[in-house]
Amino acid sequence: MTDLTLGQSPVHAALDFFDDQHPPAGDFLRDVLTGLAATPKSIPPVYFYDAAGSALFDQITGLPEYYVTRTELALLDRIGPELADLAGPGAVVIEPGSGSSVKIRKLLDALDSPAGYVGLDISGEHLIAACEELARDYPDLHTGAICADFTTGLSLDHLPLPQGRRILFFPGSTIGNFEPDAARDVLAGFRQGMRAGDAILIGADRVKSPATLEAAYDDAQGVTAAFNLNLVDRINAELKGTLDPSQLKHVSVWNADKSRIEMHLEALEPQKFEVGGQAFSLARGERIHTENSHKFTPESFQTLARSAGFDVLRSWSDPAELFSLHWLEPNAKA
Ligand SMILES: C[S@@+](CC[C@H](N)C(=O)[O-])C[C@H]1O[C@@H](n2cnc3c(N)ncnc32)[C@H](O)[C@@H]1O
């Protein structure tokens, strides 16, 4: 293993390298204070993903209402041979927001002799466990992990990566969690870290009936509600918060104007609380906006990709047109 860690480094024997870029933990307090002081109140979704949040997200991916994961997995199965042709042999796959590194197995199995895999996630413990498991299952693959914030771009030059064309794999419609300008910036940030000939395979959830969408983000078993409320547990545990989660309700709503599902925490009763020593209050019915999940049409996705400097070379959808995967390549630099 190559130890690239800047601070203390645990030993992750199954990995070829672990690069801890120490995504700044202190920003959690700053962002929560800023969001709670705003009108309407909001908290950025990146803070969902501590170890408990990542585990809850994994449960969400298996729920009957959450069509996203199973649809994308089936699509990957179907288009595997085309992906192998597009990528060519010996590709190095880099996955920003890799989570449990489940979908990557479909891609790795489809590709022709992939040379390497790098998972990148902000949720460090979960990332390492997932990448170590992958490294054990694919012993011939050069496998590494980066704990970093992908919104700050991709810093890959110092890593001991094999030669080969780099394919960024960005599934799950994680891009939909960003407002349109921020989504463009995330993709443009990826583009900066790419070389000529590299490509992105990206998942984008599609616009569909509000009932299907709202159910997908408010399941009958209450797992998505627990995922949303885990944010409150994190704030209370890590930021000296005194929010009462039993007086907050999970809400998912389709915002047609902005083409997105929104998740909120709505106050059942008025409450006064503190975070990091600062006082806040919620009126009955007031909401804290915790997540956006933008949905795309083929046209709106193409507009986004182009605005970030990419050409959409190919797009695929499932027969019910619930979800799409797109193959992007950087267009000629201006
Ligand atoms: C919606 S999950 C998707 C996981 C997986 N790629 C999938 O498709 O099932 C989003 C993942 O991105 C990670 N993530 C979210 N924001 C991030 C950021 N700014 N930088 C790095 N990872 C991030 C989360 O920790 C989580 O594992």
Side-chain angles (χ1 to χ4, degrees), residues 29 42 52 77-78 89 130 138 183 215 229:
L29 178 60
S42 66
D77 272 340
R78 196 191 88 206
Y138 292 79
L229 283 157

Side-chain angles (χ1 to χ4, degrees), residues 54-177:
S54 296
L56 283 164
F57 181 77
D58 277 353
Q59 279 187 49
I60 290 173
T61 61
L63 293 169
E65 296 92 338
Y66 196 75
Y67 58 86
V68 174
T69 306
R70 62 174 176 274
T71 308
E72 193 176 26
L73 285 170
L75 194 51
L76 283 166
D77 272 340
R78 196 191 88 206
I79 67 173
E82 280 180 79
L83 295 174
D85 281 352
L86 277 164
V92 177
V93 183
I94 296 148
E95 185 179 10
S98 47
S100 296
S101 296
V102 171
K103 294 170 190 163
I104 186 63
R105 289 163 189 262
K106 300 271 183 201
L107 182 60
L108 291 172
D109 292 347
L111 293 182
D112 178 0
S113 317
Y117 170 71
V118 183
L120 184 157
D121 207 286
I122 204 151
S123 181
E125 278 174 44
H126 198 73
L127 164 79
I128 290 166
C131 289
E132 287 199 314
E133 199 182 329
L134 193 95
R136 281 190 286 269
D137 292 346
Y138 292 79
D140 296 335
L141 193 70
H142 187 93
T143 302
I146 309 174
C147 185
D149 180 348
F150 62 63
T151 62
T152 58
L154 295 180
S155 163
L156 303 173
D157 289 348
H158 60 297
L159 298 177
L161 293 178
Q163 298 297 314
R165 184 180 190 195
R166 293 181 189 161
I167 309 298
L168 264 61
F169 182 47
F170 198 43
S173 208
T174 300
I175 194 65
N177 291 143

Side-chain angles (χ1 to χ4, degrees), residues 6-312:
L6 300 173
Q8 300 105 355
S9 156
V11 175
H12 306 295
L15 299 179
D16 288 296
F17 65 84
F18 172 56
D19 180 20
D20 193 348
Q21 297 184 3
H22 299 280
D27 288 357
F28 184 28
L29 178 60
R30 185 200 62 196
D31 291 350
V32 169
L33 292 179
T34 306
L36 291 177
T39 310
K41 292 179 171 61
S42 66
I43 297 171
V46 64
Y47 298 116
F48 281 132
Y49 296 99
D50 64 347
S54 296
L56 283 164
F57 181 77
D58 277 353
Q59 279 187 49
I60 290 173
T61 61
L63 293 169
E65 296 92 338
Y66 196 75
Y67 58 86
V68 174
T69 306
R70 62 174 176 274
T71 308
E72 193 176 26
L73 285 170
L75 194 51
L76 283 166
D77 272 340
R78 196 191 88 206
I79 67 173
E82 280 180 79
L83 295 174
D85 281 352
L86 277 164
V92 177
V93 183
I94 296 148
E95 185 179 10
S98 47
S100 296
S101 296
V102 171
K103 294 170 190 163
I104 186 63
R105 289 163 189 262
K106 300 271 183 201
L107 182 60
L108 291 172
D109 292 347
L111 293 182
D112 178 0
S113 317
Y117 170 71
V118 183
L120 184 157
D121 207 286
I122 204 151
S123 181
E125 278 174 44
H126 198 73
L127 164 79
I128 290 166
C131 289
E132 287 199 314
E133 199 182 329
L134 193 95
R136 281 190 286 269
D137 292 346
Y138 292 79
D140 296 335
L141 193 70
H142 187 93
T143 302
I146 309 174
C147 185
D149 180 348
F150 62 63
T151 62
T152 58
L154 295 180
S155 163
L156 303 173
D157 289 348
H158 60 297
L159 298 177
L161 293 178
Q163 298 297 314
R165 184 180 190 195
R166 293 181 189 161
I167 309 298
L168 264 61
F169 182 47
F170 198 43
S173 208
T174 300
I175 194 65
N177 291 143
F178 297 89
E179 303 254 3
D181 285 355
R184 182 204 55 219
D185 291 348
V186 166
L187 291 181
F190 290 170
R191 190 182 186 285
Q192 291 285 323
M194 293 169 73
R195 305 161 310 175
D198 293 347
I200 304 186
L201 176 65
I202 182 171
D205 198 11
R206 294 181 65 138
V207 173
K208 59 185 67 66
S209 88
T212 304
L213 286 165
E214 286 176 358
Y217 292 81
D218 191 9
D219 62 282
Q221 293 171 53
V223 183
T224 317
F227 175 73
N228 201 2
L229 283 157
N230 178 57
L231 202 47
V232 176
D233 294 343
R234 261 200 95 177
I235 289 170
N236 287 348
E238 295 177 36
L239 306 180
K240 297 192 179 75
T242 60
L243 265 161
D244 181 356
S246 72
Q247 295 304 318
L248 293 169
K249 179 176 82 166
H250 165 71
V251 178
S252 99
V253 280
W254 172 243
N255 180 333
D257 288 344
K258 299 199 165 170
S259 195
R260 69 190 189 196
I261 279 282
E262 298 178 356
M263 294 204 318
H264 300 260
L265 292 166
E266 185 177 302
L268 295 168
E269 295 295 336
Q271 65 168 293
K272 294 190 187 308
F273 62 96
E274 287 192 1
V275 175
Q278 287 197 32
F280 297 95
S281 64
L282 279 165
R284 182 183 292 114
E286 187 178 351
R287 290 175 174 180
I288 304 173
H289 187 169
T290 52
E291 189 181 63
N292 292 318
S293 193
H294 293 81
K295 307 301 169 188
F296 299 92
T297 62
E299 296 73 28
S300 68
F301 184 81
Q302 183 148 111
T303 302
L304 168 64
R306 285 203 178 131
S307 73
F310 289 97
D311 291 327
V312 182

